[in-house]
Amino acid sequence: MAGGEGRQHFQEQMREIERAALGGMDMALGQIDRVLDALDPVDLRLAEFVIADDDRIDGRYLEVHQGVLSLLALQAPVAGDLRLAAAVLHVISNIERIGDQCVNIAKLIPVSYTDSPARDTIVERVLHMGGLARGELAQARHAFAERDVALAESLVAQDQEVNRLNREVFRLAVHAGEDPDLREWAMTMTLAARALERIGDNAVAIGEQAIFVATGQFRELSSLLYPAGGR
C-alpha cells in the first residue's frame, strides 16, 4: 500500500476506534446515571444491573485496546496519528476505571439507613457530587471529540468542587451521631463519595488527553491551579 494510501487507511481505522472510545464514555455516563438513581431511594435491582452491566464497558475496553494495538502492528503512523492512538489507549483505560467505580458504589447500596436528618444531609451531598462528576465526564467527552482545549482546561475548577464535597461528606460522616447503624452507613457513604471523586479525577485525565491530542503537549491540569507546584 502506497504511503499516502496507508496513512489514509490508518486515519480511517483510527477514527472508527475513536468513535468506539467515545461510545464507551456514553456507556459510562449511563452507568453513573443508573447508580445515582439507585442510591436514593435505594433500588437494589438497579444496583445489581449496574454491577452486571460493567461487562459491557470491560468489553469495550478490550475492543478499543486491541484495535489500537492491532492497527499499530500493521501500520507505521506519523507523529500526529501516533499521538491520537496513545491518547485513545489512555482514555479507554479511564473509562474502564469509571465503570469500576460505579460498580463499587453499587455494591455499597444495600447498606442503607433511613429516618435520620443526618442521612438526608449526607445523601444530598453525595448526589450533588455525582451530578458534578457526571457533568465532568460529559464535558471531557465533548472536549476530546472536538479537540477543545479551553473546555478541557475548565474541568479542573469543577473538579475542585467535587473534591470539596468529598471532604464535606467525610466530615458529616464523622459527626453523624452515636447510633452504630447510622455511623456504619455514614462510613459507607464516604466510600461512595470517594468513588465519585475518582470518577471526577478520571474525567480530568481524559481532558488532559484532549489537550495532548490538540496541542502535542501533555500537562497536568492541576498545574493551572498550582503553577509553581505549591499548594
Side-chain angles (χ1 to χ4, degrees), residues 13-212:
Q13 294 293 104
M14 198 62 236
R15 279 194 292 269
E16 290 183 12
I17 294 172
E18 183 181 355
R19 282 194 290 269
L22 291 171
M25 284 192 237
D26 293 333
M27 292 179 188
L29 286 167
Q31 284 285 75
I32 296 171
D33 288 337
R34 284 186 286 271
V35 82
L36 293 177
D37 286 343
L39 265 174
D40 189 54
V42 171
D43 188 333
L44 296 182
R45 186 183 297 273
L46 188 55
E48 290 169 0
F49 180 84
V50 169
I51 294 168
D53 202 45
D54 188 54
D55 287 344
R56 282 200 311 134
I57 293 182
D58 290 342
R60 183 58 60 94
Y61 166 80
L62 293 173
E63 173 191 342
V64 171
H65 194 270
Q66 189 58 48
V68 172
L69 295 184
S70 297
L71 190 57
L72 291 176
L74 296 173
Q75 302 285 339
V78 299
D81 296 335
L82 186 59
R83 186 163 69 235
L84 176 58
V88 167
L89 286 176
H90 281 287
V91 165
I92 199 63
S93 294
N94 291 125
I95 294 167
E96 192 271 339
R97 291 179 195 130
I98 289 171
D100 288 345
Q101 295 298 343
C102 289
V103 169
N104 291 340
I105 297 169
K107 289 179 178 179
L108 296 171
I109 287 174
V111 182
S112 62
Y113 187 93
T114 59
D115 195 25
S116 167
R119 177 194 184 279
D120 293 341
T121 301
I122 291 173
V123 167
E124 185 273 331
R125 299 298 193 282
V126 171
L127 292 178
H128 185 38
M129 273 189 74
L132 291 174
R134 191 221 187 264
E136 281 187 78
L137 180 57
Q139 183 170 321
R141 184 198 186 285
H142 186 76
F144 193 89
E146 301 299 325
R147 312 293 193 256
D148 190 326
V149 172
L151 191 63
E153 289 176 341
S154 68
L155 283 165
V156 69
Q158 297 180 52
D159 197 53
Q160 287 298 294
E161 178 63 10
V162 172
N163 295 342
R164 185 192 69 78
L165 285 166
N166 180 46
R167 294 190 296 270
E168 185 173 347
V169 168
F170 182 82
R171 179 182 59 79
L172 290 168
V174 168
H175 298 94
E178 298 302 322
D179 186 301
D181 291 335
L182 174 59
R183 292 181 67 86
E184 178 185 1
W185 172 85
M187 287 299 107
T188 65
M189 287 300 99
T190 66
L191 299 178
R194 172 59 176 163
L196 291 169
E197 189 262 345
R198 292 298 301 144
I199 288 173
D201 287 346
N202 278 280
V204 170
I206 292 171
E208 290 171 345
Q209 293 303 315
I211 295 172
F212 174 60

